[in-house]
């Protein structure tokens, strides 16, 4: 059943080692494809999978400048939830959660989706008002979310400190029970294996350097580090680097790139039953199946492409974690890392057509795109195959920054911007 299950288990240990990229034998690119996807993260691989599975396009190449899953897909803290405020966001994130619920079966690959509940803490009156507003809005959209007192929050997550003497006492929480976590690299590999089985070429160490254009300006191919490849359709899904790539097509994107970092503790026996997030004191935590406490920090406030964050941000996060869970102050940190997230002015993604015929873009997921992976790939495949957006991604068009129809989800960003 799991052709690469041993690799899956070894992935985190191997990622970044020189030999890792050779484990997956990339084909040499052909000279022409029906569609090219730029970026072999979860979103790009999911897009290729659904293009092949639901739209019958199998002459597809996924071009990845490094190794698949080596970008944010393999660097994130894997929190999955759909408790976003606005209808447009609720629709796309809930579409993703529903796909997550059947994904291991769909891919015949265990993506370890665990619906252990995502709790968001309130520390002041503003938090209470904002989180309750989300609870009511979610329920109107048919999405589970509920309000807990501090005592109920502690009953759900026993390690939580609810002492009123804390610097920022916990005064309540929202809880989405269907939220949870998944195994990040398994998602990339599950989609990769599924796409590969349908004939998709997944080509690693292949950086897209530019675009070929026809007399009418439409895209006719890409220039890559492995040579030119002709195609009438290009989908760019290269989180953190989108503005650099799109600039090569002459498009200026409304994006800024920031480092976001995370860390894990030494492994311990199961002690932490759910996911806890605090937007106000900038910390989020869960426990992986390997026993490590997975802890995420806020974004660095300077724009950068460096895949690491400032230690002062991690220190700030650890102070918050130790205040919320004093018993964890005795744990040691095992390792930390960073990724680059690209952020739009309204903190919602851009998924759709561009002014250049044949060029499509999926970006701007900021700090929160892992949870969207299946839904994003599904609707982006539709957009590329049909040449028009799926109803779910239609509101997330690039054009909204011209029309002003923004989807301002800043409060759902989960980490400090
Ligand atoms: P990626 O996995 O980054 O894939 C893009 C790929 O494009 C990369 O592999 C890159 O090498 C490739 N690429 C770039 N330029 C080129 C080029 N010129 N040619 C070819 N390939 C190129 N989201 C959540 O929902 N929940 C979380 O808990 C969460 N935590 C996070 C914690 C951290 C520390 C970070 C960094 C992010 C977190 N996120 C979270 C955000 C999430 O990781 C991303 O939104 C999501 O993984 C983006 O997926 P992707 O497939 O678009 O990007
Ligand atoms: O979107 O839930 C999220 C998230 C948590 C940490 C980073 N992003």
């Amino acid at each position: 059943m799991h052709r690469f299950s041993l690799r899956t288990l070894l992935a985190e240990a191997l990622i970044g080692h020189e030999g890792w990229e050779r484990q997956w034998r990339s084909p040499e690119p052909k000279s022409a494809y029906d569609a090219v996807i730029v970026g072999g993260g979860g979103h790009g691989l999911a897009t290729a999978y659904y293009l092949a599975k639901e739209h019958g396009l199998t002459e597809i190449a996924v071009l990845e400048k490094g190794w698949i899953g080596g970008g944010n897909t393999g660097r994130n803290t894997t929190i999955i939830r759909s408790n976003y405020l606005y209808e447009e966001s609720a629709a796309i994130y809930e579409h993703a959660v529903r796909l997550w619920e059947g994904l291991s079966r769909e891919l015949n690959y265990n993506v370890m989706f665990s619906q252990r509940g995502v709790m968001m803490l309130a520390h002041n009156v503003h938090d209470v008002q904002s989180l309750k507003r989300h609870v009511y809005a979610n329920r109107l959209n048919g999405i589970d979310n509920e309000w807990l007192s501090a005592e109920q929050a502690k009953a759900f997550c026993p390690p939580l400190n609810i002492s009123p003497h804390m610097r920022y006492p916990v005064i309540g929480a929202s809880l989405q029970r269907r939220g949870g976590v998944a195994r990040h690299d398994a998602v990339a590999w599950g989609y990769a294996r599924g796409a590969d089985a349908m004939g998709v070429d997944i080509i690693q160490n292949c950086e897209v350097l530019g675009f070929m254009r026809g007399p009418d300006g439409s895209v006719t191919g890409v220039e890559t580090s492995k040579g030119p490849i002709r195609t009438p359709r290009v989908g760019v899904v290269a989180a953190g680097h989108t503005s650099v790539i799109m600039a090569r097509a002459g498009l200026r994107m409304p994006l800024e790139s920031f480092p976001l970092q995370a860390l894990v503790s030494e492994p311990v026996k199961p002690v932490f039953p759910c996911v806890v997030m605090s937007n106000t004191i900038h910390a989020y935590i869960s426990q992986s199946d390997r026993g490590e406490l997975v802890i995420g920090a806020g974004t660095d406030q300077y724009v950068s492409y460096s895949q690491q964050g400032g230690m002062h941000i991690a220190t700030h996060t650890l102070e918050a974690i130790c205040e919320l869970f004093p018993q964890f102050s005795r744990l040691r940190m095992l390792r930390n890392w960073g990724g680059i997230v690209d952020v739009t002015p309204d903190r919602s993604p851009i998924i759709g057509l561009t002014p250049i015929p044949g060029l499509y873009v999926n970006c701007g997921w900021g700090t929160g795109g892992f949870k969207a992976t299946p839904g994003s790939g599904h609707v982006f495949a539709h957009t590329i195959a049909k040449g028009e957006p799926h109803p779910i991604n239609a509101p997330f068009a690039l054009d909204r920054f011209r029309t002003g129809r923004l989807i301002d989800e800043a409060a759902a960003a989960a980490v400090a911007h």
Side-chain angles (χ1 to χ4, degrees), residues 1-16:
M1 173 176 152
H2 302 305
R3 187 151 58 112
F4 298 121
S5 58
L6 184 59
R7 290 188 192 179
T8 307
L9 293 172
L10 288 173
E12 223 175 70
L14 287 173
I15 268 182

Side-chain angles (χ1 to χ4, degrees), residues 23 52 60 109 141 145-146 157 182 197 213 248 253 349 378:
Q23 302 275 327
I60 300 168
Y109 199 105
N141 280 319
N145 200 355
E146 62 198 84
C157 182
R213 311 277 290 271
R248 293 172 185 159
M253 298 295 290
H378 189 251

Side-chain angles (χ1 to χ4, degrees), residues 5 24 48 61 72 123 127 138 150 154 157 164 170 175 183 196 199 207 255 272 280 284 316 319 321 343 366 380 391:
S5 58
W24 182 288
N72 289 342
H123 302 274
D127 285 351
N138 290 163
K154 183 161 177 71
C157 182
V170 176
L175 171 63
R183 175 76 198 178
D196 174 66
E207 181 171 3
L255 291 168
F272 205 78
T280 296
Y284 41 102
H316 171 73
E319 281 166 2
I321 291 291
V343 176
F380 196 42

